Amino acid sequence: MPVSRPVSARPVSAGPVSEGSRLRAGVATVAGGPAAYLSVGSGGVPVLLLHGFAGDRLTWQFNLSALSSRRRAIAVDLPGHGGSTPDVGSGLVSDFAPWLLEFLDGLELPRVHVVGHSMGGYVARELARLAPDRVASLTLLSSAGLGTAFDLEFLRRAMAPADVAEGRACAERLFAGPSPLIPRFGEVLHAQGADPVRRAGLERIVAESFAAHAGGGPPVDWSAYPMPIQVLWGREDRIIPMPPADWLPPAALYRVFDNAGHLPHIEAASPVTAAIRSFLDSCDAARSGPSDPLS
């Protein structure tokens, strides 16, 4: 559930927008509303990056460039977040999966690798379950929705901090230790909570998707997920603790990063990005190499 510092990106119209290594921004129309995204790179089987609760596409700014070295990398704002539609529908994150399918259709992407952080991991898994033929691989990063318990009260505080000080206190829990990013994260959390439309959407997501499951639930039935799966976690995650290894797919790669909390892709950006990139490359090579007709 990260928030982020701004990145400079030029807004453009809907449709493919990558030109080499240049970071571009776009807005596609999905289900009657906007889907804001960043895109960089070209070629290969693209990778779709899904942010966490109360975050947005900019949380991937430390990873986008490196991930685009051999493929197009796309980070999209989920409904109720960033520049995408404020309409979260029922508030069930499972409903974001068909929304993403329409987004992929709009960008003419028949098949993608999917990387999801926190709530984005939950959405990524729902997308892979709904349309396994569209998901080349699944990387779950400090993921929600795996049946483990999580800090529900933190979600409620983080979506509407009373003041900047409380925003900073929330931001501190996201990190394993002191970080120069914490003050800015706290300011953004507080600013976002002051937007009544955004806050209402986040409240609905919490009420419908998370409140009943804060104490945990049954492990995921992984038989519906034929694609390669990788699971990455920060050892000092205080929001969603690491799941037991036997709750994960038997063949999944499971890596834990020391000195990282709930934001390993920010706190340990280089090794986490390297792990994702290596996994995606190995999945492509195992499938059909550079001649993959869907690349």
Side-chain angles (χ1 to χ4, degrees):
M1 78 176 32
V3 292
S4 61
R5 298 181 301 171
V7 212
S8 176
R10 178 183 172 190
V12 296
S13 59
V17 295
S18 292
E19 293 180 0
S21 61
R22 187 178 180 185
L23 180 66
R24 304 291 299 278
V27 179
T29 299
V30 178
Y37 64 98
L38 294 174
S39 176
V40 62
S42 60
V45 179
V47 57
L48 177 67
L49 306 170
L50 305 179
H51 61 78
F53 180 81
D56 59 34
R57 56 191 161 149
L58 301 181
T59 61
W60 299 103
Q61 63 184 286
F62 301 102
N63 320 102
L64 273 166
S65 179
L67 289 176
S68 70
S69 61
R70 296 184 182 177
R71 67 189 72 250
R72 185 179 179 188
I74 302 153
V76 63
D77 287 339
L78 292 169
H81 296 76
S84 287
T85 175
D87 183 5
V88 301
S90 68
L92 294 173
V93 297
S94 57
D95 290 345
F96 296 169
W99 185 90
L100 282 172
L101 284 179
E102 187 175 343
F103 172 73
L104 294 177
D105 290 343
L107 268 62
E108 300 180 353
L109 300 175
R111 184 166 161 266
V112 293
H113 297 285
V114 184
V115 178
H117 170 251
S118 195
M119 182 190 75
Y122 192 165
V123 178
R125 186 173 59 77
E126 290 292 333
L127 176 63
R129 183 184 59 82
L130 177 66
D133 58 317
R134 304 289 295 271
V135 178
S137 75
L138 188 59
T139 295
L140 302 176
L141 185 61
S142 302
S143 181
L146 300 186
T148 52
F150 58 90
D151 190 342
L152 178 63
E153 288 311 308
F154 173 80
L155 296 187
R156 289 173 169 156
R157 289 178 61 209
M159 66 185 175
D163 50 35
V164 173
E166 186 177 13
R168 181 179 293 196
C170 290
E172 287 175 349
R173 284 189 58 79
L174 294 170
F175 289 83
S179 169
L181 298 175
I182 288 173
R184 178 56 179 159
F185 273 46
E187 292 171 3
V188 174
L189 281 173
H190 178 246
Q192 290 176 164
D195 180 342
V197 174
R198 181 184 178 98
R199 185 171 65 251
L202 296 179
E203 288 173 348
R204 179 173 292 183
I205 292 171
V206 168
E208 299 300 325
S209 294
F210 297 123
H213 310 292
V220 175
D221 177 3
W222 293 106
S223 62
Y225 301 86
M227 68 288 299
I229 298 174
Q230 175 176 231
V231 179
L232 308 176
W233 225 276
R235 190 176 299 281
E236 300 178 53
D237 193 331
R238 292 180 283 176
I239 310 304
I240 306 177
M242 294 184 295
D246 60 359
W247 281 28
L248 303 176
L253 296 175
Y254 186 19
R255 293 194 57 183
V256 178
F257 295 84
D258 293 329
N259 303 314
H262 192 60
L263 304 172
H265 57 310
I266 294 175
E267 297 170 272
S270 293
V272 168
T273 304
I276 296 172
R277 187 168 58 181
S278 175
F279 178 65
L280 303 190
D281 290 346
S282 68
C283 291
D284 290 346
R287 180 178 170 88
S288 58
S291 62
D292 187 340
L294 290 178
S295 65

